[in-house]
Amino acid sequence: MPTPTVVLIHGAFADASSFARVIPELLADGIPVAAPAVPMRSLRGDAAYIASVVRQIDGPVVLVGHSYGGAVITVAGVEENVRALVYLAGYALEEGESLGELQGRFAASDLAAALVTTSFPIEGAEPGTDVSVDVAKFPAIFAHDIDPDVAKVLAVSQRPLAAAAFAEPAPAAAWKTKPAWGVVCAADHTINPEVERFGYQRADMKQVELDSSHLVMLSHSKAVADVIREAVRSAGS
């Protein structure tokens, strides 16, 4: 069997550059990598887009989702050539469950008080609402353990998420039929770590816990790469 391709799915308020330290680790091992941009318009739409990317990859795929990207891979991961899932501080939704419902079971994180809303046009309809993080609060909430200069760049280059995505139920839960790994960020101020633990335990995932901020791919890139390697080895056997 060919080496599985790792498809890295970024989360809200970020882009594929959040995997900048993990990608070289994987490429150095000869692991094929793709890091597509997520549209951030709706859970169903984002998952459909990522599923279309996956279908065009020849051979097995390991889907890696960070944060909101975890919700995306939960849905897109039902594609036939997806062999494994890796969640990084991610939302492992149940079928029919929304981000808001899962988060609502636990105490709010520091993120709740730092969100900023703006409008965006929708052709032929009322404007939509985008959600992003207050630029001044972004480093402390998202990235307190990475280079402050890098955090400042990330703060002003956010990709906002359409607010409607928070209430949209997941139409599928790929972890029910695919092996999955989960990384808990114990020092996460963006998602309550209990949200991560609950989702992973419910899905009976293999878990790793790191004393990390939300951007674990940048602050603990080697540990993250090791988890992905384990998933790749499992998927390729």
Side-chain angles (χ1 to χ4, degrees), residues 103-210:
Q103 287 194 139
R105 293 190 173 99
F106 303 92
S109 70
D110 294 341
L111 176 67
L115 294 176
V116 176
T117 59
T118 53
S119 64
F120 66 90
I122 299 176
E123 187 175 355
E126 292 295 317
T129 299
D130 262 339
V131 179
S132 58
V133 182
D134 185 315
V135 169
K137 297 177 180 178
F138 184 99
I141 290 174
F142 239 67
H144 65 263
D145 56 357
I146 69 172
D147 184 327
D149 290 333
V150 173
K152 290 176 183 177
V153 172
L154 296 173
V156 300
S157 57
Q158 299 177 53
R159 290 176 62 93
L161 175 65
F166 288 98
E168 192 173 352
W175 49 260
K176 291 187 173 182
T177 57
K178 311 288 174 80
W181 285 254
V183 174
V184 175
C185 295
D188 199 334
H189 297 296
T190 301
I191 298 176
N192 184 335
E194 290 301 323
V195 174
E196 301 163 24
R197 294 186 186 103
F198 173 83
Y200 301 166
Q201 290 166 4
R202 179 172 62 182
D204 196 25
M205 296 185 197
K206 298 178 181 179
Q207 293 184 59
V208 173
E209 188 144 339
L210 300 173

Side-chain angles (χ1 to χ4, degrees), residues 45-69:
D46 294 342
Y49 174 74
I50 295 304
S52 75
V53 172
V54 167
R55 284 195 297 273
Q56 295 176 72
I57 294 174
D58 187 18
V61 165
V62 172
L63 271 179
V64 179
H66 174 243
S67 190
Y68 169 70

Side-chain angles (χ1 to χ4, degrees), residues 45-98:
D46 294 342
Y49 174 74
I50 295 304
S52 75
V53 172
V54 167
R55 284 195 297 273
Q56 295 176 72
I57 294 174
D58 187 18
V61 165
V62 172
L63 271 179
V64 179
H66 174 243
S67 190
Y68 169 70
V72 174
I73 71 169
T74 294
V75 180
V78 298
E79 288 299 313
E80 185 177 353
N81 59 330
V82 173
R83 297 289 185 265
L85 308 168
V86 179
Y87 291 79
L88 307 175
Y91 293 101
L93 299 178
E94 173 63 276
E95 184 175 352
E97 183 179 53
S98 70

